[in-house]
Amino acid sequence: MLFLLMYLFIDLDASKIEGSQATAKQAAELLRSVISQQRLPQTHQATALISAVRAVGEKLIAANPVELAVGNIVRRVLHIIREEDLSLATAAIDGLELSAVSDDEDDVERDDYPVLSAAAVAAAARSTLRPPSLQTLLEDTPISAAIPHTSSSGGDSEGKSRSVDKSSRGRKLKHDVIEAVNELIQDISTCYEQIAEQAVEHIHQNEVILTLGSSKTVLEFLCAAKEKKRSFKVFVAEGAPRYQGHLLAKELAARGLQTTVITDSAVFAMISRVNMVIVGAHAVMANGGVIAPVGLNMVALAAQRHAVPFVVLAGSHKLCPLYPHNPEVLLNELRSPSELLDFGEFSDCMDSASGGSLHVVNPTFDYVPPKLVSLFITDTGGHNPSYMYRLIADYYSADDLVVKRRPATTS
Amino acid sequence: MSSILFLQSVVGLIVVLYPANGNSAVAESGKAALAKSKNQSSLKKDGPPVTSEVTIDKKSGNRPPEKERKKDAPPQRMQFDDQNRVGKAKRRALVNQTEAKNRVELFRHLPQYDHGSQLPNLESKLFQLDSVHPAVFKVGLRYMAGDISGVNARCTEMLRALQEAIIDYSTPPEKVLIRELTAKISSYISFINECRPLSISMGNAIRFVKRRIAKLPLSHTDVEAKTALCSDIDRFINEKIIIADKVIVGHASTKVRDGDVLLTYGLSCVVEMILLSAHDVGKKFRVVVVDSRPKLESQALLNRLIAKGLSCTYTHINAVSYIMHEVTKVFLGASAVLSNGTVLSRVGTACIAMVAHAFSVPVLICCEAFKFHERVLLDSICCNEIGDPGALATVPGRMDINYLENWTNEENLQLLNLMYDVTPSDYVSVIVTDHGMIPPTSVPVIVREYGQEHYLI
């Protein structure tokens, strides 16, 4: 397992894994193996799981902070653990009630029933995760120490049943969590198909579509519309300095779509004849802003000027619960200048005595503010940028926004 | 490149050997015969409107100039999706062009030629094109090879070639100088147009030459007429280009302050002069040079600026949104400025102006007044120039980018290499010209007030 970790760190660090989908899948699989190998204590399994996942997740995020999909997956897994734990607790409460009812068939003990269930509920509630109270946050007392001893009523039989419940609950928790993580991996793998299914609703006959660079989501989207016998034309902007647009254009032409490759500088000239702009994203932030390949802010501004809808396709693993602050600098990566300039050409003029200084800027990402985006199409459907923050509540818990572990206190 | 140099030297030799005054009778009769055939061919050429204002102006060249103002509707331009016209033009064309495969549908009205075979084709015609003066041939060759780029350089070279052609011209007997010379000039211009489509503002220079010819008094002898014309052309180049540039530099340098970060795009000689003169005066500023494919012409500018000691930042056009937050002013050049205030310039200028507008950065367009034109354009598609699509397929210096190697085989794939684009007037803050600094709404005023009078000196 340690080897797996190491390889993933190295790959993330060197940005060798291309694409958020592959990164997200690998991260999810790694966390699944972490969970399955984690030995859980008798009580407070969820807390143990969470701290284990947090430890690994912190390192994963630190390896490549710009790759937001990793942080998203870590937070998703944490949320899954909390949810499974909560659902098991409520099931356990119901189970205890049921067992109480089945045991006490006599009406005589019915007046004890409410006391039993209340105590059982209290005990069950205490052993599940609690949102951190101010006291626990400040003192960092592990929640396990705060549990009082078993309630007075009930006695041994209850204690035995509870312990049996807890161990079975522990195994069940792991099992449920791993099942849910498997579902998550499945969702990540099939996000292309689910997004592509919506293509026919948005592309009509004889449309002209503009895109920049290359994105697998966009490719699948356009090909799905082509399958349904819509005929349309595509303008692909190159996407310097990586020129992924060439790849996409080749793919589209091979599949039978009329494609024209244009330079990035010609985007404003051509956009007056375009019906829709469809692009992929690197990450979607909580305010609806998009971290996209460089050049897309220019395209979005041109689309706004010509009232052309700007549609962003993103799988739900790209939705990040953080709000962007100064994203051009903090969430950006500057690549090597050799992609733009040949060093040999400029070395001689820079060496001369009166030569000035030369600074080459080659950013990877661009930030597109939410007011320029018309629509997000995710695997859960189409959404407005102003709605994206609600989806965060579905996928993430508020406690997990900061994945860093708090330093252990001396107490 | 070496083949072009060789050809240029050969053409130079021919210029020397070509008799200047045609004093000898043999030469005279030879030239008369040549001139007669030239006249017939040039008359035929003027039939279909191969080049726009060139032919219309020729027809009205003999009418008094006041009637020029009544011709308000723009003349017909050659539309390349009209099969009849294209056929006729091809039969009269001096340069054989082959249509490109994989033409872009949206641009069917513009010429899209196969660039690979153009230059060798023209070079092979070196000794066959008698009707074209060697200096004009040389300029056409250089245009096609891409040696000269930028409206100022192209205009200057073309006018110098016309000057030489005028010096070597002699009127055949029993013909009027004005009419013959105008016909000659029209034929040269159509040849140059075939080599590379004329830019809109070059039409202004040509119209100036034709009007000067039309205004020559009939009493002048050949020699007097030719010297008058040559001095007129010299004055045009001097006043409208060289001195105008100095005036523009003087105006614009006042706008550069210490601590400024100036952004420029493409290769504009005026902007380069502004930056260097501001640096010479001692102002402290930084320059951001933005470049784009496929020409990557800003690298030459970058080289020269660094050699002079300016501190520069270099980036590509996609990163403009990243860099714009630290820029204080944007200086751009223009190929032409149209009457609705829009600026026709290198493709990508509109994107830069748009992003600058979004970040509230002022955009200054620097161009000489002779580039103002009465034409109007709303978008970049109706009038443009299509360059070599093969230039998009390869990236020089990056061997790994070869996805589009066999793009001609894909029938669904087209490559589009636009040369110009049109920047809307609301993105432009001010236009710096030799008449001063004017807002884009004042352009039709300048065209109307100064356009006619300066030409009618």
Side-chain angles (χ1 to χ4, degrees):
Chain A
M1 198 266 289
L2 268 174
F3 284 133
L4 267 176
L5 259 177
M6 259 171 32
Y7 285 135
L8 191 56
F9 291 158
I10 294 170
D11 285 341
L12 274 176
D13 217 1
S15 305
K16 267 208 236 119
I17 310 182
E18 287 292 342
S20 325
Q21 202 218 22
T23 325
K25 247 174 106 164
Q26 290 228 351
E29 283 162 5
L30 178 66
L31 290 175
R32 180 180 60 188
S33 55
V34 165
I35 292 171
S36 60
Q37 292 178 13
Q38 180 74 14
R39 253 180 281 136
L40 296 179
Q42 282 289 29
T43 55
H44 313 291
Q45 294 87 357
T47 328
L49 264 183
I50 284 182
S51 56
V53 170
R54 262 208 175 153
V56 175
E58 192 183 336
K59 294 207 192 86
L60 280 176
I61 295 176
N64 192 352
V66 175
E67 185 58 77
L68 292 163
V70 174
N72 295 349
I73 295 299
V74 169
R75 294 184 184 96
R76 284 284 281 268
V77 171
L78 291 172
H79 179 73
I80 286 172
I81 298 174
R82 286 177 207 269
E83 280 220 339
E84 292 299 330
D85 191 50
L86 197 59
S87 67
L88 276 177
T90 43
I93 291 167
D94 293 340
L96 275 171
E97 287 174 13
L98 281 171
S99 62
V101 168
S102 58
D103 282 348
D104 316 318
E105 283 172 32
D106 285 357
D107 291 341
V108 179
E109 290 165 342
R110 212 173 280 167
D111 49 351
D112 287 337
Y113 172 56
V115 178
L116 252 173
S117 44
V121 164
R126 257 177 262 127
S127 62
T128 56
L129 289 167
R130 272 194 239 140
S133 69
L134 206 52
Q135 184 184 28
T136 52
L137 271 174
L138 285 172
E139 297 175 29
D140 192 35
T141 43
I143 304 177
S144 52
I147 295 292
H149 286 291
T150 57
S151 51
S152 49
S153 61
D156 286 335
S157 61
E158 260 222 10
K160 268 193 225 145
S161 64
R162 238 187 289 128
S163 63
V164 164
D165 279 336
K166 269 188 217 149
S167 60
S168 65
R169 254 181 68 203
R171 279 199 300 277
K172 202 154 188 319
L173 176 67
K174 227 194 200 183
H175 174 77
D176 283 348
V177 168
I178 291 187
E179 250 190 38
V181 174
N182 280 337
E183 258 184 49
L184 173 64
I185 295 179
Q186 187 67 14
D187 275 343
I188 299 175
S189 317
T190 57
C191 71
Y192 295 147
E193 281 95 33
Q194 292 182 340
I195 293 178
E197 273 167 14
Q198 306 170 51
V200 197
E201 296 165 10
H202 297 282
I203 300 182
H204 61 77
Q205 207 68 274
N206 292 336
E207 278 229 49
V208 181
I209 294 183
L210 175 75
T211 182
L212 187 140
S214 168
S215 159
K216 184 139 192 292
T217 328
V218 173
L219 177 64
E220 296 297 325
F221 194 82
L222 294 177
C223 293
K226 177 82 174 59
E227 296 298 315
K228 297 273 166 48
K229 310 282 185 267
R230 299 283 157 95
S231 76
F232 53 95
K233 290 195 274 215
V234 185
F235 283 108
V236 181
E238 285 185 317
R242 299 185 66 199
Y243 303 103
Q244 299 281 342
H246 290 191
L247 262 177
L248 180 69
K250 203 165 157 198
E251 270 296 305
L252 289 173
R255 297 207 201 183
L257 280 169
Q258 285 288 326
T259 321
T260 308
V261 176
I262 61 174
T263 50
D264 313 306
S265 36
V267 159
F268 191 92
M270 300 308 299
I271 203 158
S272 54
R273 298 294 185 267
V274 165
N275 296 128
M276 183 155 56
V277 179
I278 299 183
V279 294
H282 175 74
V284 179
M285 311 304 291
N287 65 343
V290 183
I291 306 286
V294 71
L296 276 172
N297 191 28
M298 194 172 71
V299 178
L301 285 168
Q304 187 196 42
R305 155 82 183 204
H306 289 91
V308 173
F310 187 82
V311 174
V312 177
L313 309 178
S316 55
H317 61 275
K318 292 188 179 167
L319 175 62
C320 182
L322 303 173
Y323 280 82
H325 169 69
N326 206 0
E328 292 96 347
V329 177
L330 295 178
L331 288 174
N332 213 335
E333 203 187 320
L334 294 178
R335 297 165 71 96
S336 159
S338 62
E339 291 178 357
L340 295 181
L341 270 188
D342 203 14
F343 178 65
E345 286 169 24
F346 285 86
S347 54
D348 43 353
C349 72
M350 283 175 64
D351 284 341
S352 65
S354 67
S357 64
L358 174 61
H359 177 52
V360 179
V361 175
N362 189 4
T364 323
F365 298 120
D366 233 352
Y367 173 68
V368 182
K371 63 179 197 293
L372 295 177
V373 180
S374 311
L375 186 68
F376 281 104
I377 297 186
T378 66
D379 36 359
T380 49
H383 308 295
N384 237 7
S386 53
Y387 178 73
M388 296 313 275
Y389 77 100
R390 293 308 281 176
L391 295 178
I392 294 170
D394 282 347
Y395 299 137
Y396 305 102
S397 316
D399 319 330
D400 300 325
L401 287 183
V402 181
V403 180
K404 280 207 187 67
R405 264 190 308 177
R406 289 166 251 134
T409 54
T410 49
S411 66
Chain B
M1 273 309 288
S2 58
S3 65
I4 296 172
L5 286 171
F6 167 71
L7 276 164
Q8 281 179 355
S9 56
V10 170
V11 169
L13 267 175
I14 293 180
V15 173
V16 166
L17 294 173
Y18 206 75
N21 294 334
N23 280 330
S24 62
V26 173
E28 182 107 49
S29 59
K31 259 205 282 196
L34 276 173
K36 274 206 195 107
S37 61
K38 272 179 236 164
N39 287 342
Q40 286 164 357
S41 58
S42 60
L43 277 174
K44 268 192 261 168
K45 246 180 270 181
D46 286 331
V50 172
T51 46
S52 53
E53 53 266 61
V54 170
T55 48
I56 303 284
D57 281 340
K58 182 255 166 193
K59 280 185 202 144
S60 63
N62 295 329
R63 276 194 243 134
E66 284 78 21
K67 295 220 177 146
E68 295 279 336
R69 278 187 208 242
K70 302 222 180 113
K71 244 188 331 82
D72 277 339
Q76 274 271 318
R77 278 160 237 282
M78 174 70 160
Q79 301 296 328
F80 284 83
D81 51 352
D82 188 347
Q83 291 298 328
N84 291 339
R85 297 252 175 89
V86 170
K88 278 189 202 153
K90 261 201 181 152
R91 283 194 280 275
R92 278 137 193 84
L94 293 171
V95 184
N96 285 345
Q97 314 256 28
T98 49
E99 297 278 334
K101 305 176 252 180
N102 295 34
R103 287 190 301 165
V104 183
E105 276 300 311
L106 203 55
F107 290 93
R108 289 263 310 278
H109 59 286
L110 295 172
Q112 296 180 50
Y113 292 128
D114 184 16
H115 285 245
S117 61
Q118 269 179 341
L119 198 52
N121 224 335
L122 189 59
E123 286 173 4
S124 65
K125 291 216 164 95
L126 176 59
F127 297 105
Q128 296 166 20
L129 291 176
D130 298 327
S131 56
V132 177
H133 188 275
V136 176
F137 187 85
K138 181 168 154 183
V139 163
L141 204 61
R142 290 182 72 191
Y143 274 13
M144 201 185 260
D147 263 358
I148 321 177
S149 78
V151 171
N152 286 359
R154 281 170 69 185
C155 218
T156 318
E157 292 297 321
M158 182 185 71
L159 287 173
R160 296 267 179 237
L162 286 180
Q163 239 182 358
E164 285 193 33
I166 289 174
I167 293 174
D168 292 340
Y169 169 78
S170 72
T171 323
E174 286 149 41
K175 296 277 179 150
V176 183
L177 172 93
I178 294 176
R179 228 173 281 161
E180 289 310 309
L181 191 53
T182 316
K184 235 343 162 42
I185 301 279
S186 301
S187 71
Y188 292 157
I189 298 300
S190 60
F191 169 75
I192 293 181
N193 197 28
E194 283 166 26
C195 294
R196 193 182 153 182
L198 288 176
S199 152
I200 288 185
S201 46
M202 284 163 70
N204 284 343
I206 295 166
R207 223 183 313 166
F208 167 77
V209 170
K210 291 209 171 148
R211 284 196 194 144
R212 297 312 299 160
I213 297 176
K215 294 201 67 205
L216 284 173
L218 287 163
S219 55
H220 271 195
T221 60
D222 265 10
V223 178
E224 285 174 359
K226 287 199 284 192
T227 42
L229 277 176
C230 289
S231 72
D232 276 342
I233 293 183
D234 270 335
R235 203 168 41 141
F236 182 90
I237 294 179
N238 206 23
E239 278 177 19
K240 302 285 181 190
I241 303 183
I242 299 178
I243 295 186
D245 281 350
K246 295 205 178 93
V247 174
I248 292 176
V249 168
H251 282 308
S253 299
T254 59
K255 290 294 182 191
V256 179
R257 304 218 177 96
D258 279 346
D260 261 348
V261 180
L262 306 176
L263 186 142
T264 181
Y265 174 70
L267 183 58
S268 166
C269 48
V270 185
V271 175
E272 190 181 339
M273 281 195 262
I274 293 172
L275 294 173
L276 290 176
S277 96
H279 182 73
D280 287 338
V281 169
K283 301 202 180 165
K284 306 259 176 299
F285 57 94
R286 272 201 302 132
V287 179
V288 178
V289 177
V290 180
D291 206 359
S292 83
R293 280 244 301 150
K295 287 187 129 187
L296 291 175
E297 35 188 28
S298 304
Q299 287 187 2
L301 174 68
L302 186 67
N303 237 322
R304 294 201 280 267
L305 289 180
I306 293 186
K308 291 287 169 85
L310 280 89
S311 56
C312 303
T313 304
Y314 179 80
T315 180
H316 62 102
I317 194 170
N318 275 340
V320 151
S321 322
Y322 176 83
I323 203 91
M324 191 57 80
H325 65 273
E326 49 184 60
V327 172
T328 54
K329 291 190 187 73
V330 176
F331 278 90
L332 298 169
S335 167
V337 179
L338 306 169
S339 277
N340 56 343
T342 53
V343 177
L344 184 81
S345 177
R346 177 67 64 216
V347 67
T349 311
C351 293
I352 306 259
M354 170 184 69
V355 178
H357 182 79
F359 281 78
S360 307
V361 174
V363 174
L364 292 89
I365 306 283
C366 309
C367 85
E368 302 84 354
F370 88 93
K371 292 179 181 166
F372 286 15
H373 200 273
E374 75 255 3
R375 192 165 175 186
V376 288
L377 273 182
L378 288 171
D379 58 36
S380 324
I381 305 202
C382 297
C383 171
N384 211 322
E385 190 187 329
I386 311 271
D388 181 15
L392 281 189
T394 52
V395 183
R398 300 271 298 274
M399 292 300 121
D400 47 330
I401 313 281
N402 56 356
Y403 312 122
L404 290 179
E405 269 181 330
N406 300 326
W407 66 277
T408 39
N409 299 339
E410 280 282 354
E411 53 184 55
N412 290 324
L413 186 62
Q414 292 110 29
L415 266 53
L416 179 62
N417 186 2
L418 282 179
M419 294 265 122
Y420 293 113
D421 76 4
V422 160
T423 307
S425 58
D426 42 343
Y427 290 154
V428 176
S429 313
V430 82
I431 303 182
V432 185
T433 72
D434 41 333
H435 292 297
M437 297 202 260
I438 58 171
T441 46
S442 300
V443 172
V445 176
I446 300 251
V447 169
R448 185 191 150 112
E449 300 303 325
Y450 290 102
Q452 307 288 0
E453 282 160 28
H454 271 197
Y455 294 149
L456 298 172
I457 301 167

